[in-house]
Amino acid sequence: MIGDINAWLDHGTGEGRLRPMDRAFARFLATLDPSADARVLAAAALVSRELADGHICVDVASLGEHDGALVGASDWLQGTPLVASPDGAPSAPLVLDGPLLYLRRFWRDEARVAAAILHRLPALPEPRGLDRELDRLFPAEADGSAIDWQKVACAIAARSSFAVITGGPGTGKTTTVVRLLGLLQTLAVRASQPRLRIRLAAPTGKAAARLNASIAAQVAQLDVDAAVREGIPAEVTTLHRLLGSRPDTRAFHHNADNPLHVDVLVIDEASMIDLEMMAATLDALPAGARLILLGDKDQLSSVEAGAVLGDLCARAEPGHYDDATRAWLRDVAGVDVGAWTDASAAWPLDQRITMLRRSRRFGSASGIGALATAINQGDAAAVNAAFAGGFADIARQPASAAAVAALAIEGRAEAPGYRHYLQWINDHRPAADAGDEAFAAWGRGALEAYGRFQLLCATRRGDLGVDGQNERIAQGLMERELIKATTGWYEGRPVIVARNDYAVGLMNGDIGVTLAVPDGQGGSMLRVAFLVMDEAGGERLRFVTPSRLTAVETVYAMTVHKSQGSEFEHTALALPPEPSPVLTRELVYTGVTRARRYFTLLATADILAYAVARKTKRASGLLGRLR
């Protein structure tokens, strides 16, 4: 039992098991109920602490022994105004829902998300002519024995108000959704219905830009009528811009009282969406609109609390389709998902999930593909076999701080490092009297050259963390006379925006490169080149004065979390030499799959095996609510 709650809180904070804000939260609750059981206050501090690791709630049974503080049954959580049941006092800051203890705001968000999804699970009437359009958009391949999971995904989504399409890199998520939008718009036009209002969104500007470029190219090649093609937008926006962010608040312009004007909403990179953002999105979605989520269930979850896509796709691997879904897919799409049918264990949610299982990017000759598969399976031996398999696109190198920085600067023989983009800046510098268009093209080219390589780190601190590597790489670049300074503003300095800056129009995760441009008086001035999204969803180059950038960091190295939604020709991943809670299977997999052509791992075999063996599980009650 706890004697002095303040001493317990101070001790936990001093040892790093609690954050100062967790201690402050528990002490605040003590002012609301001075007679509260000390164990309730301790549990509140622990629930608050778990949010920092992405957990929505805490299973009371798992509280166990915390310095002997929390023991016995959970009856001590009852009988206090600080804790309420789901139907209890709405003013209580904590909610005990079955065995799960929540902060009220997160319990409310989880319940809202579950209710909105359950509302959309019943099947819609089958659109007339669906079978013919599916056959036209997905002609049979030479090997007719293989299931066309893209066709399955489109069929399922065509009769659903809610659908999830998950799959790894190269499985065709974007191709699938473009054909799905063509299918839905075609069916609407042929039924003499108004053209569907379709919006495309992603959690970050970088993810939105990638989807924008991919969709624009594929829509132009889609085999549909011109009127249908015109009804498929290529513009992609961020979720914050779609909902209408209100600076310095959690509120959005669009909500349940002011819903979006949309019939179909597609969200890419859904693994990055936290619970709060998903709740806000569903609140703003009209009751009759469709929601289609795309994402890789095996990637890292959102930075903020929750693992919405992971929860939704927890049962995707075995399928769990019921007999009715199997029969319907056989009739309308000509495919048999019998091997993924389990009528005895099927849930309504399972009938709205499709996992794309064939990678067209990473074939049998791809080390990146073999490595990603082995990591997902948690098979350390297969991971080592991939590195020893003679694949030209993957390599493992020593993990010392000096070796990491050297690789980042010089790259590998066949794969670029940062020397490449800095030399590109000098080699392609326009003449001083060149026009604005020439310097805009130069800025765009500098960003493209920088994006050919990225060093990813698992942590921020330490010699192999982001901070240490940013300093070491900058020093190495200056010693090679590729940059002229290591601190402050200098030409070539790459920066990443650390938080949304609405005044400047830059979003968290936007990357810029510092360039010297003419000042109009015979000299030069430093400006930072960014690719920003315009109102139409396209990209344009923008030069920003360094003095206007108040929340940026040098980004020779970035965390794996920050890299989500991006891809690089050559990606290197550095893991720390000691075990750490951040080292998980999902982190390594996400780092590997940021690479388009080449991947280099900088880690010891022991640390790699440790990370691959640890699968993330964020505490949440969402999946249980959807059963």
Side-chain angles (χ1 to χ4, degrees):
M1 298 292 291
I2 297 175
D4 183 347
I5 182 61
N6 287 317
W8 185 86
L9 292 169
D10 288 340
H11 181 72
T13 304
E15 291 194 340
R17 292 183 291 105
L18 297 175
R19 301 169 298 168
M21 68 172 61
D22 307 323
R23 176 178 58 188
F25 176 62
R27 287 177 173 170
F28 168 71
L29 294 187
T31 67
L32 299 181
D33 181 11
S35 64
D37 189 318
R39 290 173 296 179
V40 174
L41 301 178
L46 292 169
V47 172
S48 174
R49 175 61 186 87
E50 290 298 281
L51 286 171
D53 293 329
H55 302 289
I56 295 298
C57 55
V58 171
D59 189 326
V60 175
S62 74
L63 289 173
E65 290 273 355
H66 288 268
D67 291 341
L70 305 174
V71 296
S74 62
D75 54 356
W76 46 268
L77 282 168
Q78 301 167 8
T80 168
L82 299 178
V83 182
S85 65
D87 299 325
S91 60
L94 298 168
V95 176
L96 182 62
D97 194 344
L100 304 179
L101 184 65
Y102 297 78
L103 297 186
R104 175 166 292 278
R105 177 162 64 87
F106 292 93
W107 172 82
R108 185 175 59 245
D109 285 345
E110 185 179 275
R112 286 158 57 202
V113 168
I117 291 175
L118 288 170
H119 173 75
R120 287 179 161 81
L121 288 185
L124 299 174
E126 180 182 324
R128 187 175 180 181
L130 175 59
D131 53 349
R132 293 192 301 273
E133 288 301 315
L134 285 170
D135 288 341
R136 189 177 64 79
L137 287 170
F138 296 93
E141 298 184 10
D143 181 8
S145 62
I147 290 180
D148 188 340
W149 287 103
Q150 295 184 12
K151 188 176 185 180
V152 170
C154 284
I156 286 175
R159 72 162 186 172
S160 308
S161 292
F162 175 80
V164 179
I165 302 172
T166 187
T171 52
K173 295 186 292 294
T174 305
T175 299
T176 303
V177 81
V178 169
R179 293 187 186 182
L180 172 60
L181 296 178
L183 171 67
L184 294 176
Q185 204 67 279
T186 295
L187 294 170
V189 168
R190 293 188 179 174
S192 300
Q193 297 172 348
R195 207 159 62 180
L196 296 171
R197 298 168 299 175
I198 299 171
R199 297 297 302 272
L200 310 174
T204 67
K206 182 61 68 177
R210 276 189 56 216
L211 181 61
N212 183 82
S214 180
I215 281 190
Q218 294 197 38
V219 168
Q221 301 173 5
L222 191 60
D223 181 21
V224 293
D225 297 341
V228 170
R229 188 178 294 109
E230 291 172 1
I232 303 174
E235 301 84 11
V236 186
T237 187
T238 63
L239 276 174
H240 282 85
R241 179 171 288 178
L242 175 74
L243 298 179
S245 296
R246 292 181 174 176
D248 302 321
T249 76
R250 283 192 165 95
F252 293 95
H253 177 70
H254 288 288
N255 51 41
D257 296 324
N258 181 31
L260 294 162
H261 303 294
V262 63
D263 299 308
V264 180
L265 175 59
V266 176
I267 305 177
D268 194 21
E269 296 289 353
S271 63
M272 300 169 67
I273 305 175
D274 60 84
L275 180 69
E276 184 177 20
M277 177 57 79
M278 184 60 75
T281 302
L282 287 164
D283 278 352
L285 199 63
R290 299 173 189 261
L291 177 62
I292 299 162
L293 302 179
L294 306 177
D296 186 342
K297 67 180 180 63
D298 297 311
Q299 280 191 30
L300 279 169
S301 298
S302 59
V303 175
E304 303 299 330
V308 177
L309 187 72
D311 286 341
L312 294 174
C313 296
R315 293 161 52 86
E317 193 82 38
H320 290 298
Y321 296 118
D322 60 26
D323 291 337
T325 297
R326 177 187 180 186
W328 183 79
L329 286 171
R330 190 166 49 224
D331 291 342
V332 77
V335 297
D336 188 351
V337 295
W340 291 269
T341 296
D342 185 355
S344 64
W347 297 2
L349 175 65
D350 300 328
Q351 317 316 305
R352 302 291 172 259
I353 312 292
T354 308
M355 179 175 170
L356 306 180
R357 302 166 188 270
R358 174 187 172 191
S359 176
R360 291 167 169 79
R361 182 189 308 173
F362 301 133
S364 59
S366 169
I368 295 174
L371 188 57
T373 299
I375 291 167
N376 266 343
Q377 294 172 346
D379 189 339
V383 168
N384 289 326
F387 281 117
F391 293 109
D393 58 341
I394 60 173
R396 181 162 52 185
Q397 294 187 9
S400 70
V404 172
L407 173 81
I409 294 169
E410 303 295 345
R412 289 162 38 194
E414 70 281 18
Y418 288 132
R419 174 186 288 276
H420 165 78
Y421 92 90
L422 291 166
Q423 289 178 334
W424 190 98
I425 289 172
N426 284 321
D427 293 346
H428 295 80
R429 188 185 307 274
D433 59 353
D436 291 344
E437 290 187 5
F439 279 94
W442 181 55
R444 184 181 288 268
L447 286 165
E448 291 175 354
Y450 168 82
R452 291 188 63 191
F453 172 77
Q454 184 62 59
L455 172 64
L456 305 179
C457 298
T459 61
R460 292 197 62 88
R461 306 289 180 254
D463 286 343
L464 294 182
V466 166
D467 295 343
Q469 281 301 308
N470 274 328
E471 293 178 5
R472 187 178 289 270
I473 291 168
Q475 185 63 40
L477 291 170
M478 190 171 74
E479 291 172 356
R480 292 164 173 80
E481 299 183 346
L482 292 167
I483 58 176
K484 295 182 179 179
T486 60
T487 60
W489 289 100
Y490 53 86
E491 184 170 57
R493 181 192 178 193
V495 295
I496 186 168
V497 177
R499 64 174 181 266
N500 293 345
D501 189 335
Y502 298 97
V504 182
L506 296 173
M507 297 293 108
N508 185 7
D510 286 349
I511 289 177
V513 172
T514 310
L515 300 171
V517 300
D519 62 5
Q521 299 177 357
S524 64
M525 56 188 176
L526 293 178
R527 293 291 184 266
V528 186
F530 289 93
L531 283 175
V532 298
M533 296 185 68
D534 56 30
E535 292 300 327
E539 280 189 319
R540 62 181 176 85
L541 188 90
R542 181 180 175 194
F543 283 111
V544 180
T545 304
S547 61
R548 298 192 66 193
L549 300 173
T550 58
V552 295
E553 302 170 354
T554 300
V555 67
Y556 296 116
M558 72 167 65
T559 62
V560 178
H561 261 299
K562 284 284 189 182
S563 74
Q564 286 185 271
S566 300
E567 287 183 345
F568 311 94
E569 179 180 340
H570 177 201
T571 302
L573 173 62
L575 303 182
E578 301 294 334
S580 165
V582 304
L583 294 177
T584 64
R585 184 181 308 174
E586 292 81 2
L587 180 134
V588 179
Y589 171 83
T590 302
V592 170
T593 54
R594 297 312 89 203
R596 284 196 304 268
R597 295 187 60 191
Y598 303 104
F599 173 75
T600 304
L601 178 70
L602 300 123
T604 65
D606 288 347
I607 285 296
L608 177 60
Y610 168 84
V612 168
R614 299 181 66 246
K615 186 169 177 61
T616 301
K617 177 58 179 176
R618 288 189 169 184
S620 162
L622 179 60
L623 185 61
R625 296 178 189 272
L626 296 171
R627 185 164 185 171

